[in-house]
Amino acid sequence: MAKVDLNRVEMPKQEPHVRAKNFNEVALGYNAEQAKYEANRCIQCPKRSCVRGCPVNVDILDFIKAICEGNMPEAVRILKNKNSLPGICGRVCPQETQCEEVCSLGKKGAPIAIGRLERYVADWEQQQAGSARPIVDIAPASGKRAAVVGSGPAGLTCAADLAKMGHQVTIYEALHVAGGVLMYGIPEFRLPKVIVQSEVNYVKSLGVEITLDSVIGKMMSVDELLSNGYDAVFLGTGAGLPMFLHIPGENFTGIYSANEFLTRVNLMKAYLPEEYDTPLPMGRLVAVIGGGNVAMDAARCALRLGADRVYIVYRRSRVEMPARAEEVENAQEEGIIFKMLTNPLRFLGDGRGWVSAMECIEMELGEPDASGRRRPIPKPGSEFVMDVDTVVVALGTTPNPLVPSTTEGLATTSEGTVVVDKKTGQTSKPRVWAGGDVATGAATVISAMGAGKVAAASINEFLGGGTG
Amino acid sequence: MYKILCREDLTPTAHLFEVEAPSIARKAQPGQFIILMVDEKGERIPLTIADWDRRQGSVSIVVSEVGRTTSKLSRLKKGDSVAHFVGPLGKPAEIDNFGNVACLAIGYGMATIVPIARALREAGNRVYSIISAPTKTDLFGIDRLSEVSDTLIVTTSDGSYGEQGWVIEPLRHRLDAGEPIKRAFVIGSVCMMKLVSAVTKEFGIKTVVSLNPVMVDGTGMCGACRVAVGGKTKFACVDGPEFDGHEVDWNLLMARRCTYPVRLEEVATAYRCQYCGQW
């Protein structure tokens, strides 16, 4: 056996100075040759630790083997057997802390680029004619019905799995398109919307019905779903409520929550003003407050929308930033300015209600806090003023109370998350399951998908179904 | 797609649309709103529900042509459809038997106050309504409102219909005369609601205003509609749209509604508040 190449095949990307001016996808994906070379680096170790490292237990080794053998339909089948949204996961999963982190090759060199290979398989399938046809087995109809609330990653996964198990599933989505955070949150240049819609269409092809424009909790309650013929309900309503800083001046015009900013850009397509009606009034000096992936996304959108200068303002240092290293790197390459150890104190207005500046204070790091990260402490006397005319607050989100507050018997925590049994996704209310951000608080796409899968298995058991 | 079952031109630039939306009609309550998108590339705009017909499965809205989306909407006819129509959103109006109540409205409020007035009357209140417009041709919904009011006063700024004046004068007149009004419900421009609230505050009358800030999703997700009420930030879409008029930070609301200064130029003058220029 030839010696294993310890370096992974780099994925081609748009050049930073080019991509900073367009909304096209940054990472361009492997070609067949690159994919095959990378797949061949896999030593097919018997430990199969990557499979256990995956929250939805994709048979990673097997689909990689299929790529090596040039059997792409088989690779697709293996992948989709466990993961209904591979084109999405291949792009936005933090593989470096999951499957790739435990890859045996990682001890000596670079782990297999599992995410890139997953994306390659998903994209290959998209390019084939008739890819919307289900290629997985669907169990005979059970005659049972399930309602899924929310069409984000948790809801889509739960719905797809339940459909494969033979149940009739309807997804209720509040917005005018399906996909949840995949549509309104993650920008086009990181996750093209045609990929999301094609995976949504795949879920539909399994027999799942999607009802848009339906705010459960307002148009219909969970109890009404349960009494209107649904045997079980899964809540995948996400964490949609934006957190603010609660400092003076935060309601000046020009200060957005990241949710609003990204929704205008991604869902409402404010970056295509010739075609779409939703505006995004924005200035030249943009400050994004926060250090997560959402902050990176907002900053990179602002840059692409033509801002002169875009700052990431974060109260801790680069090491503590929750964003993926790859995204921080991308943002830096594109010219985002990082102002670390900086915390806003108040916003100043221009006299007409618009934000014109932000007073900040410098921070230093003390002892670790409850999150295990070093606590930021203000440095007395270090206050300074930054000129800004647009601010995006990306501090995180909490679950939307719309469903919990209108559902009797559904226990929630003081943080507003729905209480679930982690092993099953069951809530305190009979016949109701929940999973994803609504149960955990803001987390990742793949952990939400994992929760959707766990709940689907439990619902299936409750409905008396066999294995899907 | 949501079909337009009926269109009625209330004035040359204000139109009532009855839209087929059975699941919203089934749940609609006074004071709630819907969000619509005219087409797939349009904006999401909030509009207060003007009425509903549960049997027919329809919801009525009143649209004043003030900007791009409302102009687009105004070109639709009976039989056409809008792409998206979501609701009912927001909290319903608090209805109770308060005794004597006042309902004040201008602009689109002349239509959207009707379900509130009706519910108040059904709850046993004596309903005293006041509406006003710059001139006779800008008035609409008089018959509908008069059906659900014990007294209806109509004024115009130029005196072309009813008494000459605005909504403030008849209200003040009544209050000065010792009318025991227990609560006021106000729908109109920001400026009008602010001025009415100032008057009712003098008399210690609790006043409910219906705020209509910029919104995107309408479910508490974006925070575009944040308003300050009693010193606290609230989201009009889920905490409102009705708030205590004596607690609202009106100047902030005015500033935040002017997020798109360019668009103000497009606002038809008939629907601008004659005092502050807002609509």
Side-chain angles (χ1 to χ4, degrees):
Chain A
M1 193 179 151
K3 199 170 180 301
V4 176
D5 187 341
L6 290 178
N7 296 307
R8 50 168 59 181
V9 179
E10 281 309 313
M11 180 156 56
K13 276 190 200 175
Q14 280 195 70
E15 287 300 323
H17 69 278
V18 177
R19 71 184 194 233
K21 292 187 176 64
N22 69 54
F23 272 84
N24 300 333
E25 195 169 14
V26 168
L28 303 170
Y30 282 159
N31 61 29
E33 196 187 333
Q34 290 164 324
K36 214 155 183 180
Y37 186 90
E38 182 64 23
N40 271 304
R41 288 177 61 230
C42 175
I43 56 171
Q44 294 286 320
C45 62
K47 285 200 302 190
R48 299 176 71 87
S49 39
C50 52
V51 179
R52 287 193 304 278
C54 171
V56 297
N57 304 115
V58 167
D59 293 304
I60 294 168
L61 270 90
D62 304 332
F63 92 72
I64 290 181
K65 192 167 179 212
I67 300 175
C68 295
E69 290 164 353
N71 189 350
M72 289 306 291
E74 178 65 2
V76 173
R77 200 193 58 76
I78 296 166
L79 189 52
K80 285 209 159 173
N81 189 31
K82 293 283 176 66
N83 184 346
S84 299
L85 316 173
I88 295 166
C89 289
R91 288 173 168 83
V92 303
C93 264
Q95 290 95 9
E96 66 279 4
T97 61
Q98 298 176 351
C99 53
E100 293 178 8
E101 187 178 39
V102 292
C103 171
S104 300
L105 278 186
K107 288 186 197 111
K108 288 192 174 164
I112 295 288
I114 298 167
R116 295 172 186 176
L117 290 174
E118 179 181 29
R119 169 182 168 164
Y120 171 73
V121 174
D123 288 0
W124 178 87
E125 194 216 355
Q126 300 243 340
Q127 287 150 18
Q128 312 307 306
S131 65
R133 269 203 324 271
I135 48 156
V136 293
D137 299 332
I138 295 181
S142 67
K144 303 284 184 178
R145 295 175 71 204
V148 169
V149 185
S151 64
L156 286 174
T157 303
C158 184
D161 277 20
L162 286 171
K164 286 195 253 178
M165 292 159 177
H167 309 300
Q168 200 187 323
V169 187
T170 308
I171 299 182
Y172 289 93
E173 166 56 48
L175 291 172
H176 56 278
V177 288
V181 72
L182 305 168
M183 290 303 288
Y184 74 75
I186 305 176
E188 177 75 19
F189 56 83
R190 221 151 64 75
L191 179 62
K193 300 310 151 212
V194 349
I195 303 282
V196 179
Q197 287 313 308
S198 127
E199 304 213 324
V200 166
N201 286 334
Y202 167 73
V203 174
K204 282 194 203 165
S205 77
L206 299 171
V208 172
E209 194 188 312
I210 302 184
T211 307
L212 302 172
D213 301 334
S214 303
V215 183
I216 299 301
K218 286 288 178 190
M219 189 189 87
M220 211 191 281
S221 68
V222 170
D223 282 305
E224 282 172 288
L225 289 172
L226 289 169
S227 59
N228 287 349
Y230 291 104
D231 301 293
V233 173
F234 174 77
L235 304 175
T237 47
L241 216 60
M243 299 207 283
F244 282 95
L245 289 151
H246 302 294
I247 59 174
E250 197 163 23
N251 292 330
F252 280 131
T253 317
I255 303 180
Y256 298 95
S257 72
N259 265 2
E260 180 184 357
F261 189 81
L262 290 172
T263 298
R264 285 178 184 269
V265 178
N266 304 325
L267 180 72
M268 307 311 293
K269 307 232 182 286
Y271 68 92
L272 301 171
E274 305 289 309
E275 246 186 283
Y276 290 81
D277 293 345
T278 301
L280 178 57
M282 203 189 78
R284 318 297 303 175
L285 303 173
V286 181
V288 179
I289 321 288
N293 287 322
V294 172
M296 301 304 134
D297 285 347
R300 295 170 73 194
C301 282
L303 195 71
R304 283 159 173 78
L305 289 165
D308 288 342
R309 248 176 295 163
V310 182
Y311 301 96
I312 289 274
V313 177
Y314 182 54
R315 62 193 185 128
R316 305 186 204 236
S317 74
R318 169 82 188 261
V319 191
E320 289 83 18
M321 273 180 125
R324 287 181 75 182
E326 188 186 331
E327 299 308 327
V328 177
E329 226 167 82
N330 279 332
Q332 250 165 347
E333 279 177 10
E334 288 167 15
I336 307 289
I337 305 159
F338 285 71
K339 284 193 91 68
M340 301 290 96
L341 293 165
T342 303
N343 204 24
L345 294 175
R346 64 185 176 118
F347 298 102
L348 306 168
D350 67 351
R352 293 178 303 126
W354 266 84
V355 64
S356 64
M358 178 165 86
E359 186 182 328
C360 300
I361 190 163
E362 287 176 26
M363 310 291 275
E364 56 195 353
L365 294 177
E367 295 300 309
D369 62 13
S371 74
R373 296 173 300 175
R374 294 180 62 191
R375 182 194 303 276
I377 302 165
K379 276 204 267 187
S382 66
E383 293 87 351
F384 67 98
V385 172
M386 277 173 80
D387 285 343
V388 292
D389 52 21
T390 305
V391 175
V392 181
V393 181
L395 295 179
T397 52
T398 55
N400 195 320
L402 222 56
V403 169
S405 67
T406 55
T407 308
E408 226 173 288
L410 188 71
T412 52
T413 65
S414 57
E415 283 90 47
T417 54
V418 172
V419 178
V420 295
D421 175 342
K422 282 205 181 67
K423 288 198 192 81
T424 61
Q426 262 178 303
T427 69
S428 59
K429 191 177 172 73
R431 297 200 283 147
V432 178
W433 282 254
D437 286 3
V438 72
T440 57
T444 61
V445 168
I446 190 73
S447 63
M449 289 176 58
K453 242 184 153 48
V454 164
S458 171
I459 293 170
N460 182 48
E461 200 177 306
F462 170 76
L463 298 178
T467 50
Chain B
M1 299 292 271
Y2 301 81
K3 203 166 151 192
I4 294 170
L5 301 176
C6 173
R7 169 187 167 134
E8 188 186 326
D9 293 329
L10 303 172
T11 77
T13 53
H15 321 284
L16 182 139
F17 292 98
E18 220 174 295
V19 181
E20 187 172 39
S23 23
I24 303 175
R26 202 164 55 228
K27 280 298 181 77
Q29 297 291 330
Q32 289 188 299
F33 66 95
I34 56 96
I35 282 203
L36 70 76
M37 278 173 81
V38 179
D39 53 56
E40 295 297 337
K41 295 182 175 179
E43 285 178 283
R44 292 173 66 95
I45 62 158
L47 292 166
T48 310
I49 295 173
D51 219 335
W52 56 85
D53 183 333
R54 300 204 209 277
R55 200 179 36 80
Q56 190 185 225
S58 66
V59 170
S60 300
I61 47 167
V62 169
V63 180
S64 303
E65 290 178 48
V66 290
R68 191 169 176 178
T69 302
T70 46
S71 302
K72 248 187 186 178
L73 200 48
S74 301
R75 288 195 289 271
L76 300 182
K77 301 180 295 289
K78 177 181 173 175
D80 289 341
S81 294
V82 293
H84 299 280
F85 200 78
V86 197
L89 300 170
K91 289 187 175 161
E94 187 201 339
I95 304 291
D96 207 337
N97 189 354
F98 302 108
N100 286 12
V101 295
C103 291
L104 292 89
I106 61 167
Y108 71 90
M110 294 189 283
T112 58
I113 199 95
V114 172
I116 295 173
R118 185 193 297 134
L120 285 166
R121 197 157 187 231
E122 282 168 4
N125 294 282
R126 248 188 84 78
V127 178
Y128 176 68
S129 301
I130 309 170
I131 58 172
S132 180
T135 188
K136 187 180 170 183
T137 48
D138 299 323
L139 284 166
F140 55 80
I142 296 174
D143 294 346
R144 286 188 183 95
L145 188 56
S146 109
E147 259 174 50
V148 296
S149 306
D150 292 280
T151 311
L152 172 66
I153 302 283
V154 182
T155 68
T156 47
S157 308
D158 62 1
S160 56
Y161 187 98
E163 293 170 39
Q164 201 232 320
W166 203 40
V167 291
I168 298 278
E169 301 89 336
L171 174 69
R172 195 178 266 289
H173 187 252
R174 264 291 157 113
L175 294 173
D176 284 338
E179 178 86 25
I181 288 171
K182 294 285 180 243
R183 195 170 286 226
F185 292 79
V186 192
I187 309 181
S189 67
V190 176
C191 169
M192 174 266 200
M193 293 189 283
K194 176 185 172 178
L195 294 174
V196 171
S197 298
V199 173
T200 55
K201 195 168 184 179
E202 270 177 50
F203 290 86
I205 298 163
K206 184 162 180 184
T207 299
V208 179
V209 294
S210 173
L211 304 187
N212 196 3
V214 172
M215 289 187 191
V216 184
D217 64 290
T219 63
M221 199 182 89
C222 80
C225 66
R226 56 196 197 273
V227 292
V229 181
K232 289 202 179 94
T233 296
K234 301 273 181 192
F235 289 4
C237 67
V238 287
D239 301 322
E242 301 198 331
F243 292 101
D244 181 343
H246 300 155
E247 299 283 338
V248 171
D249 181 340
W250 295 103
N251 293 338
L252 175 75
L253 181 64
M254 287 186 181
R256 288 191 62 82
R257 272 182 64 97
C258 290
T259 304
Y260 321 115
V262 169
R263 297 214 168 176
L264 210 56
E265 315 301 319
E266 299 168 11
V267 174
T269 41
Y271 291 96
R272 285 204 196 172
C273 166
Q274 60 215 83
Y275 292 87
C276 71
Q278 287 221 345
W279 69 95

